[in-house]
Amino acid sequence: MTAILKHEISSYFHSLTAYLFSAFLLAFVGFGAMLYNIQSAVANFEYVLRFVCLGFVVIVPILTMRVIAEERKQKTDQLLYSLPLKTWEIILGKYLALLAVFSVPLCIAAAYPLIFSQFGQVYLLTSYGSLLAFFLMGAALMAIGTFISSLTENQGFAAGITIPVILLNYYSVTLAEHVSATAFGSVIGLFVVIIVLGIIIRYLTKNEILAYGTGLLLTIAVGVVYFMDSSKFEGLLPELMTKLSVFERFYTFVEGVFDMTAVVYFVTVIIFFLFLSVQSLEKRRYN
């Protein structure tokens, strides 16, 4: 795994990928700091991080689109499979390299609160707590991008899918205000989720019985609960859209609250999508 990590870090810094990523991120941070901390004379650096959130729509696809897709395109994934490494070690090595590249501009951005504290009162605990949450949120989005990259050999396609996925998550709270809050509307939304889950299971396992069986069992379970007590589904869909938003979880830190449930959620998202990435690579390995 260490060899994979070193190779990936070297690859990022011997190409423009790491530099473009760092430049975009620091440009967003610099513009946000000028807009909020300097021009508006606001002491809260966490507001800058909230402003930078939308930049993830661009910078995460830039960094993650090549992580596995490029290996598949150049057929070098066959070499990876021949190495005495487990699939999870390959994925983890590549993912840790992403985090290493992500950490470089964040370390530079971490100097901002200290600099501003020389000219006024800055809430350092809130600023650095938000910076930690910002790192975890970025790590979660990169895990999602890694999984999407594992599904294709086309880097452009991987980036093209990652962008709307992040945008959908970013605007999910706003969209939640416009979706149906009725029990029936929530059930329809759950059925769509079940269908998507079945498609993912079928793609990763090539096992139609498992995919259809899981979908059927979940559909029956939702149907039974709905007919027994439909009130349980009232407002469920908007609530799910709000709670599943990684950005909304991050905003809790911006408001000055260190939310451990949000930390657990970020870690859960990371583990879940890295697990899916491993399964995707395993499927190709044994095919």
Side-chain angles (χ1 to χ4, degrees):
M1 185 182 74
T2 305
I4 295 290
L5 175 60
K6 291 181 179 178
H7 175 269
E8 288 296 308
I9 291 177
S10 175
S11 175
Y12 283 125
F13 284 99
H14 280 84
S15 66
L16 290 176
T17 304
Y19 302 103
L20 285 174
F21 174 83
S22 299
F24 270 115
L25 183 56
L26 290 174
F28 274 108
V29 172
F31 183 75
M34 182 183 67
L35 186 67
Y36 289 97
N37 298 129
I38 299 176
Q39 185 174 345
S40 300
V42 175
N44 304 74
F45 181 71
E46 56 271 20
Y47 292 170
V48 176
L49 297 177
R50 179 168 183 160
F51 168 78
V52 176
C53 282
L54 188 57
F56 276 128
V57 176
V58 177
I59 60 181
V60 169
I62 287 177
L63 194 58
T64 61
M65 65 181 182
R66 61 167 294 275
V67 62
I68 298 176
E70 186 179 38
E71 300 278 5
R72 295 182 61 175
K73 182 180 180 180
Q74 297 182 356
K75 307 302 180 185
T76 52
D77 57 335
Q78 304 300 322
L79 177 61
L80 287 177
Y81 300 147
S82 66
L83 296 175
L85 292 173
K86 296 180 180 178
T87 307
W88 68 266
E89 291 179 306
I90 297 173
I91 292 295
L92 189 58
K94 287 178 169 290
Y95 180 69
L96 290 178
L98 289 175
L99 295 188
V101 175
F102 181 39
S103 300
V104 172
L106 284 191
C107 288
I108 298 173
Y112 277 72
L114 293 176
I115 294 172
F116 292 144
S117 67
Q118 303 302 312
F119 303 95
Q121 184 178 6
V122 176
Y123 311 107
L124 292 179
L125 284 178
T126 304
S127 296
Y128 286 107
S130 299
L131 194 64
L132 173 63
F134 186 81
F135 173 78
L136 291 174
M137 178 179 64
L141 294 175
M142 286 178 188
I144 296 173
T146 299
F147 169 62
I148 295 174
S149 180
S150 73
L151 300 177
T152 179
E153 63 181 30
N154 189 316
Q155 296 183 44
F157 182 76
I161 295 298
T162 306
I163 289 173
V165 167
I166 296 177
L167 269 178
L168 180 62
N169 194 270
Y170 183 82
Y171 287 110
S172 60
V173 176
T174 303
L175 293 174
E177 299 174 359
H178 303 285
V179 300
S180 175
T182 64
F184 182 73
S186 296
V187 169
I188 296 299
L190 288 176
F191 283 156
V192 172
V193 173
I194 291 172
I195 292 172
V196 172
L197 180 62
I199 292 172
I200 293 175
I201 292 175
R202 185 178 183 279
Y203 177 83
L204 294 178
T205 64
K206 292 295 183 182
N207 190 327
E208 294 187 359
I209 295 177
L210 177 62
Y212 295 146
T214 302
L216 182 60
L217 287 175
L218 291 175
T219 301
I220 292 173
V222 171
V224 169
V225 175
Y226 177 75
F227 285 110
M228 289 181 62
D229 186 6
S230 62
S231 63
K232 293 183 179 298
F233 293 93
E234 294 287 345
L236 180 62
L237 184 57
E239 184 179 358
L240 281 176
M241 292 177 67
T242 300
K243 288 187 175 181
L244 291 178
S245 171
V246 296
F247 294 96
E248 192 65 21
R249 299 274 183 171
F250 168 70
Y251 295 155
T252 305
F253 290 85
V254 175
E255 294 168 0
V257 179
F258 193 91
D259 187 4
M260 279 303 300
T261 60
V263 173
V264 172
Y265 177 69
F266 291 143
V267 174
T268 302
V269 170
I270 292 169
I271 294 174
F272 177 70
F273 280 99
L274 289 184
F275 170 77
L276 291 182
S277 301
V278 170
Q279 298 307 307
S280 178
L281 212 61
E282 283 281 357
K283 179 184 75 70
R284 182 169 175 82
R285 185 173 199 166
Y286 289 109
N287 283 344

